[in-house]
């Protein structure tokens, strides 16, 4: 018997299309399909097995095996050769199947006389839907082209099955395979709030409508044209003076460019076209294969690369289909779903235009999470797999506090989420009632509650939340959202607006904290191996003094006549602080010489984010007017965990005895030096953590505005002396976390944590 001819797959695909277009039941069409495949591939047997509930592979149609076995023969995943194909998601090609250890004899099928076996998985979106097999009596190894041909048919079959074109996929009775099945994700709540809306994919999946081609020559030309267009657009990106890509961004795009010339990738797509697929189906086919391989290997580095290739394939598909070039109108109830997103991307969507955000990759202190909080967008992170599962327009319900996401939820879940939203609103109203009451403990200790901000639209919350001022204004956010570096006049106007909206309340401006995961879209940046330990914050300010001086110049002008509070980020040593302060003093002097209006007072603080500075508290307190603990960065360095890496970011708890002991020592040293101390990391906004911090002696906390209410409520129900005694004792323990003990204590004393 001759292997399938070069026109075999094309002929097969044409017949497949004809069969799909024919009227009749799904079973009739499947029966026809197996008989056509068997005849074109000169095989005595062709069978289709599809997955059913309980991970069983059921024989759905066969040519050559006993017809009574159809819908009766069922194999478990991994059972028999068919189960083996499904488990490995790879082709199995054997000349002597019965002697293979995976062979499982099923008398009802009557397959005794067949020696050779070729099985390929029916795969779509990295999921195995079933297995397609051919068998022959004579012992022989199937040729490479035959394997390819069967794989191509299987791919089209998968698409047909998934789209319900062949029969209602619900008939499969395999809930897991239904593309419209409801799905729940128990992930990580990163910004509280409830959203019920519809999915908008941040990078939408391009839908391939046409799978089977009439003329491969035309398809090859279409692929070449699209590759040309793709290369051109990548080159344009690299050359664009507007984007002025640098550092990691540039490197990513340069790697993209290399990929577009990858001969292996191009050859695989061309081969796929030669089997009878359209150019877009060929792109998908190659991408699906790669995803499967990567999933099997489970190598995180390869997975990263696969993300890149996925992006590239998506772009290529857009070139082929002309889709998604223009920006889509957002529906009024948009919930964004994305694998990952930068802070600037999120800000691009503007406040009020999206109800919620679900990401596969994001940790609590990553900057996209901080921006989401500042925009008041409920956010769930670590929702693994959601971008593959979600389709644009799907109903979705998100709870950003407990980290729950329901995709295509049943109506009861929607109702429950609506109720949750109402309950939260009620809670907010409860906090509003205590807005003007002081944050004072039962034993009379006053706590200053400040809020964190970064964009102008945060400012109205200063009054709405009842905060005592802005304890941390992250100025870099304003720089990150623009296309170009803001000019001096724009910076001045911006800071003035912030100060005006704060009125009498103080605002602490942190000078540019760039680097790490905060990069300017328009600046040239070198790629670094460890960006969070790299050229960041004050280090940049000292190496590029013009940047800091310009910003200070704008701030001095904006605060003319009042008090200007500056905070220097990531100070590692006193000398560094002094050097930056000298630059600030030069600007003050310059303004004086030029007789520019000036603030009455300029206070300069240091952020304690690097452990080394904790050993220099008395000295830094002599140089700085105040110190603010940036616990997000501080604990990243204390525990050596990358705060942006969800895999480790939560590995250690800030309520760990070492962390609390460190805070306790910092508070002591600051008090001895009579210095002003505050804490402005995320932990300040969590009631239990804040309770412990107050117990350790902190009296000023700065947090998200939405946390002011709950924290004030907690403060008004606690006794500082009692908490202090308890927490100090706990510092001597060796627990992984003191959270449970502290919660039990709070419950016992009636301290309100919600
Ligand atoms: C911190 O590190 O705790 C902090 C407040 O700064 P950021 O989160 O902006 O790095
Ligand atoms: Mg920081």
């Amino acid at each position: 018997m001759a292997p399938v001819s070069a026109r075999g797959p094309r002929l097969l695909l044409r017949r497949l299309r004809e069969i799909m277009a024919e009227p009749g039941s799904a079973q009739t069409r499947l029966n026809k399909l197996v008989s056509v495949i068997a005849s074109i591939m000169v095989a005595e047997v062709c069978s289709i097995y599809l997955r059913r509930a309980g991970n069983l592979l059921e024989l759905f149609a066969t040519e050559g095996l006993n017809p009574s076995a159809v819908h009766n023969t069922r194999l478990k995943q991994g059972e028999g050769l068919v189960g083996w194909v499904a488990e490995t998601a790879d082709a199995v090609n054997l000349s002597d199947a019965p002697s293979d250890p995976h062979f499982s004899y099923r008398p009802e099928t009557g397959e005794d006389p067949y020696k050779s076996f070729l099985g390929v998985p029916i795969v779509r979106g990295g999921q195995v839907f079933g297995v397609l097999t051919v068998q022959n009596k004579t012992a022989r190894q199937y040729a490479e082209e035959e394997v390819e041909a069967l794989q191509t048919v299987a791919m089209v079959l998968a698409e047909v099955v998934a789209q319900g074109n062949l029969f209602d996929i619900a008939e499969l009775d395999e809930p897991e395979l239904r593309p419209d099945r409801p799905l729940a994700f128990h992930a990580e709540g990163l910004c509280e709030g409830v959203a019920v809306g519809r999915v908008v994919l941040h990078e939408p999946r391009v839908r391939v409508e046409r799978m089977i081609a009439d003329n491969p020559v035309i398809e090859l030309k279409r692929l070449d044209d699209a590759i040309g267009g793709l290369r051109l657009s990548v080159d344009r990106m690299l050359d664009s003076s507007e984007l002025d890509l640098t550092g990691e961004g540039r490197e990513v795009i340069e790697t993209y460019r290399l990929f577009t010339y990858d001969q292996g990738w191009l050859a695989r797509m061309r081969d796929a076209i030669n089997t009878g697929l359209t150019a877009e189906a060929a792109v998908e086919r190659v991408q699906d294969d790669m995803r499967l391989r990567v999933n099997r290997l489970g190598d995180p580095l390869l997975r990263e690369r696969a993300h890149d290739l996925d992006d590239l394939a998506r772009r290529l598909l857009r070139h082929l289909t002309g889709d998604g070039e223009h920006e889509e109108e957002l529906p009024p109830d948009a919930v964004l779903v994305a694998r990952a997103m930068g802070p600037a991307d999120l800000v691009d969507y503007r406040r009020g235009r999206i109800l919620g955000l679900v990401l596969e990759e994001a940790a609590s202190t990553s900057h996209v999470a901080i921006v989401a909080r500042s925009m008041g967008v409920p956010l769930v992170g670590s929702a693994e797999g959601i971008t593959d599962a979600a389709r644009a327009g799907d109903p979705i319900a998100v709870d950003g506090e407990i980290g729950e996401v329901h995709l295509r939820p049943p109506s009861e879940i929607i109702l429950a989420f609506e109720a949750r939203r109402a309950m939260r609103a009620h809670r907010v109203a409860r906090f509003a009632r205590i807005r003007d009451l002081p944050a004072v403990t039962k034993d009379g200790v006053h706590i200053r509650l400040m809020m964190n901000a970064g964009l102008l639209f945060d400012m109205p919350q200063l009054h709405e939340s009842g905060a005592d001022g802005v304890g941390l204004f992250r100025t870099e956010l304003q720089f990150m959202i623009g296309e170009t570096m803001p000019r001096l006049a724009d910076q001045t106007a911006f800071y003035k607006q912030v100060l005006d909206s704060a009125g009498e309340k103080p605002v602490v401006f942190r000078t540019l904290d760039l680097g790490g995961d905060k990069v300017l879209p328009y600046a040239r940046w070198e790629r670094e191996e460890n960006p969070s330990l790299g050229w960041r914050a004050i280090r940049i300010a000292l190496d590029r003094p013009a940047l800091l001086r310009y910003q200070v110049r704008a701030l001095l002008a904006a605060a003319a006549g009042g008090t200007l509070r500056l905070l220097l980020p990531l100070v590692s040593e006193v000398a560094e602080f002094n050097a930056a302060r000298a630059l600030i003093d030069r600007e003050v002097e310059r303004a004086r010489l030029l007789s520019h209006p000036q603030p009455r007072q300029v206070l300069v603080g240091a952020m304690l984010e690097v452990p080394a500075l904790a050993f220099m508290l008395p000295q830094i307190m002599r140089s700085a007017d105040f110190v603010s603990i940036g616990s997000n960065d501080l604990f990243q360095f204390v525990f050596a965990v990358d705060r942006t890496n969800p895999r480790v970011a939560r590995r250690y708890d800030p309520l760990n005895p070492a962390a609390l002991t460190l805070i306790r020592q910092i508070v002591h040293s600051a008090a001895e030096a009579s210095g002003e101390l505050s804490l402005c990391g995320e932990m300040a906004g969590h009631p239990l953590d804040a309770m412990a911090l107050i117990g350790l002696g902190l009296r000023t906390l700065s947090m998200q505005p939405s946390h002011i209410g709950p924290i004030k409520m907690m403060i008004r129900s606690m006794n500082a002396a009692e908490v202090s005694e308890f927490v100090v004792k706990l510092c001597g323990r060796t627990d992984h976390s003191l959270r449970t003990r502290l919660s039990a204590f709070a419950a016992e004393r009636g301290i309100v944590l919600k």
Side-chain angles (χ1 to χ4, degrees):
M1 182 196 56
V4 74
S5 71
R7 54 182 271 287
R10 279 211 296 286
L11 185 61
L12 255 177
L13 289 184
R14 209 179 61 224
R15 288 291 293 125
L16 177 56
R17 182 165 56 181
E18 285 161 8
I19 293 168
M20 266 149 46
E22 280 171 15
S25 73
Q27 190 63 52
T28 321
R29 282 184 282 172
L30 278 182
N31 292 347
K32 272 198 190 151
L33 194 68
V34 285
S35 114
V36 165
I37 297 173
S39 112
I40 295 181
M41 294 205 50
V42 201
E44 279 113 13
V45 175
C46 173
S47 311
I48 293 175
Y49 296 80
L50 292 175
R51 265 182 70 191
R52 297 203 72 143
N55 230 350
L56 289 175
L57 288 156
E58 179 177 310
L59 180 64
F60 256 68
T62 184
E63 166 75 27
L65 295 184
N66 192 344
S68 65
V70 170
H71 298 302
N72 284 323
T73 293
R74 290 178 175 188
L75 297 153
K76 288 200 217 70
Q77 176 111 350
E79 185 188 348
L81 290 171
V82 170
W84 177 238
V85 173
E87 186 158 289
T88 55
D90 209 353
V92 170
N93 182 357
L94 299 170
S95 56
D96 185 8
S99 68
D100 189 274
H102 294 103
F103 183 80
S104 150
Y105 176 59
R106 289 305 185 91
E108 76 274 14
T109 62
E111 66 182 329
D112 323 34
Y114 303 106
K115 277 270 196 197
S116 37
F117 172 97
L118 171 61
V120 297
I122 302 174
V123 178
R124 184 174 172 276
Q127 229 178 11
V128 178
F129 275 62
V131 174
L132 176 63
T133 65
V134 287
Q135 289 171 273
N136 282 86
K137 281 190 184 129
T138 45
R140 74 178 192 90
Q141 190 87 19
Y142 292 88
E144 187 81 15
E145 306 89 85
E146 290 172 292
V147 180
E148 276 279 318
L150 204 62
Q151 277 174 328
T152 303
V153 174
M155 178 211 176
V156 175
L157 199 57
E159 195 63 32
V160 170
V161 171
Q163 288 182 3
N165 289 358
L166 197 58
F167 51 73
D168 182 1
I169 195 159
E171 282 176 31
L172 280 183
D173 195 25
E174 167 51 297
E176 244 193 77
L177 291 181
R178 287 185 209 155
D180 59 349
R181 71 193 193 276
L183 275 179
F185 295 81
H186 300 282
E188 204 174 343
L190 298 181
C191 176
E192 63 177 29
V194 177
V196 179
R198 293 196 170 268
V199 169
V200 170
L201 293 168
H202 175 53
E203 291 166 325
R205 187 189 159 106
V206 182
R207 199 177 147 80
V208 175
E209 302 280 357
R210 215 165 49 91
M211 306 285 296
I212 303 169
D214 298 318
N215 184 343
V217 179
I218 295 178
E219 296 306 314
L220 285 170
K221 166 100 178 51
R222 287 184 64 229
L223 180 70
D224 283 346
D225 288 350
I227 290 278
L230 177 69
R231 286 178 185 157
L232 212 66
S233 72
V234 175
D235 285 347
R236 243 186 264 128
M237 247 187 254
L238 283 166
D239 295 341
S240 155
S241 55
E242 217 174 283
L243 285 174
D244 198 11
L245 276 170
T246 51
E248 227 169 331
R250 186 168 191 89
E251 206 159 281
V252 168
I253 307 298
E254 264 164 2
T255 319
Y256 273 15
R257 175 154 61 185
L258 282 185
F259 284 158
T260 66
Y261 288 89
D262 184 316
Q263 291 309 315
W265 188 50
L266 298 176
R268 281 197 295 281
M269 289 190 289
R270 290 196 181 114
D271 286 351
I273 289 181
N274 280 326
T275 64
L277 294 177
T278 58
E280 41 277 60
V283 175
E284 280 226 311
R285 157 90 206 271
V286 169
Q287 211 45 30
D288 264 346
D289 278 358
M290 195 209 50
R291 248 187 253 140
L292 270 179
R293 269 207 314 274
V294 168
N295 283 349
R296 249 199 328 266
L297 293 173
D299 176 336
L301 272 179
L302 267 184
R303 196 169 296 223
E304 258 322 297
R305 208 190 112 127
H307 282 340
D308 287 354
L309 274 175
D310 263 347
D311 280 349
L312 203 66
R314 200 165 30 230
R315 277 165 203 268
L316 186 55
L317 283 176
R318 290 215 191 105
H319 277 272
L320 280 165
T321 57
D323 251 20
E325 300 265 320
H326 47 273
E327 215 194 299
E328 233 181 294
E329 273 293 302
L330 283 183
D333 54 354
V335 173
L336 280 185
V337 173
R339 196 181 300 128
M341 195 187 264
D345 281 345
L346 178 55
V347 174
D348 271 349
Y349 282 97
R350 306 278 164 214
R351 187 175 213 172
R353 288 190 60 212
I354 50 173
L355 295 184
L357 174 61
V358 183
L359 298 176
E360 293 203 17
E361 293 160 17
S364 148
T365 58
S366 63
H367 286 99
V368 67
I370 289 171
V371 171
R373 283 179 214 128
S374 125
M375 290 171 74
V377 175
L379 165 62
V380 171
S382 306
E384 235 173 271
I386 193 157
T387 43
D388 271 341
R391 293 164 315 180
D394 277 346
I396 186 168
V398 178
D399 186 328
E401 185 173 346
I402 55 173
E404 215 173 273
V405 180
H406 291 267
L407 197 57
R408 303 177 284 267
S411 56
E412 311 82 72
I413 299 247
I414 302 242
L415 285 176
F417 269 63
E418 299 283 9
R420 248 187 239 184
R421 194 162 58 186
M423 205 178 74
R424 297 262 156 83
H426 179 75
R427 216 167 79 195
V428 170
R430 194 157 59 105
F431 297 139
R433 283 199 292 278
I434 61 161
R435 190 188 67 174
D436 299 320
L437 298 179
V440 59
T441 63
K442 289 201 330 211
D443 51 342
V445 176
H446 278 263
I447 309 295
R448 278 179 88 205
L449 294 184
M450 313 285 278
M451 74 170 219
N452 294 350
L455 295 166
L456 214 48
F457 57 53
D458 292 326
M459 293 310 291
Q461 307 212 44
L462 181 54
H463 301 286
E464 284 159 25
S465 67
D468 295 314
V470 177
L472 171 69
F473 194 96
R474 294 180 162 104
T475 59
E476 62 278 0
L477 294 184
Q478 185 63 17
F479 282 67
M480 287 163 67
I481 59 178
E483 302 273 299
T484 52
M485 176 80 79
R487 289 173 310 131
L488 185 67
D490 297 337
Q491 284 190 49
T492 309
F494 172 71
Y495 300 134
K496 191 156 169 27
Q497 268 177 292
V498 172
L499 287 166
D500 286 349
S501 59
E504 289 301 300
K505 296 186 176 181
V507 178
V508 177
F509 289 99
R510 177 172 72 185
T511 58
L512 285 179
D513 183 11
L514 296 170
D517 69 336
K518 290 182 268 197
V519 288
L520 298 183
Y522 42 84
R524 297 201 169 270
W525 235 265
E526 293 292 325
R527 194 189 120 76
E528 298 180 320
E529 276 306 318
N530 293 300
S532 55
L533 303 178
W535 198 52
R536 293 180 54 183
I538 195 171
R539 303 169 186 178
I540 298 179
L542 291 175
D543 294 352
R544 297 276 182 279
L547 203 63
L548 176 66
R549 288 187 60 184
Y550 241 63
Q551 189 184 23
V552 170
R553 200 170 294 176
L555 284 159
L556 287 171
T563 297
L564 175 62
R565 293 174 177 81
L566 296 174
L567 181 59
L568 294 167
L570 207 81
V571 176
S572 301
E573 52 169 11
V574 180
E576 198 171 49
F577 177 87
N578 289 343
R581 185 156 201 162
L583 287 174
I584 296 168
D585 289 344
R586 272 173 64 185
E587 275 308 308
V588 174
E589 182 59 13
R590 178 184 175 275
R592 194 186 61 78
L593 289 174
L594 294 172
S595 308
H596 286 169
Q598 281 200 65
R600 273 185 289 108
Q601 190 185 21
V602 179
L603 301 174
V604 187
M607 279 194 88
L608 198 171
E609 301 183 281
V610 178
L613 197 65
F615 300 98
M616 303 297 283
L617 250 287
Q619 294 86 339
I620 191 74
M621 283 299 190
R622 280 200 288 278
S623 290
D625 296 301
F626 58 96
V627 167
S628 190
I629 303 173
S631 52
N632 302 339
D633 273 310
L634 181 62
F635 292 141
Q636 142 162 283
F637 301 129
V638 164
F639 289 113
V641 280
D642 179 352
R643 63 189 265 191
T644 64
N645 178 351
R647 207 154 171 186
V648 292
R650 297 232 162 179
R651 198 175 173 95
Y652 305 98
D653 191 338
L655 295 184
N656 164 291
L660 296 188
T661 304
L662 176 61
I663 299 273
R664 187 173 165 226
Q665 284 170 5
I666 294 170
V667 172
H668 265 247
S669 310
E672 268 175 22
S674 310
E676 196 184 309
L677 182 71
S678 60
L679 185 141
C680 61
E682 297 305 311
M683 73 182 293
H686 301 296
L688 193 68
D689 303 41
M691 178 191 92
L693 292 173
I694 294 169
L696 292 170
L698 272 156
R699 295 296 176 256
T700 304
L701 300 174
S702 193
M703 65 203 71
Q704 300 300 324
S706 61
H707 292 161
I708 300 270
I711 297 288
K712 192 187 278 185
M713 201 136 232
M714 181 279 294
I715 290 172
R716 292 175 61 85
S717 63
M718 74 178 267
N719 179 308
E722 273 177 19
V723 173
S724 178
E725 196 190 324
F726 185 69
V727 179
V728 169
K729 246 192 271 155
L730 287 185
C731 284
R733 300 196 61 91
T734 55
D735 309 28
H736 162 69
S737 164
L738 301 168
R739 199 162 287 278
T740 317
R741 292 178 195 279
L742 285 164
S743 302
F745 174 87
E748 207 177 277
R749 305 293 154 115
I751 300 174
V752 183
L753 296 177
K754 269 281 156 195

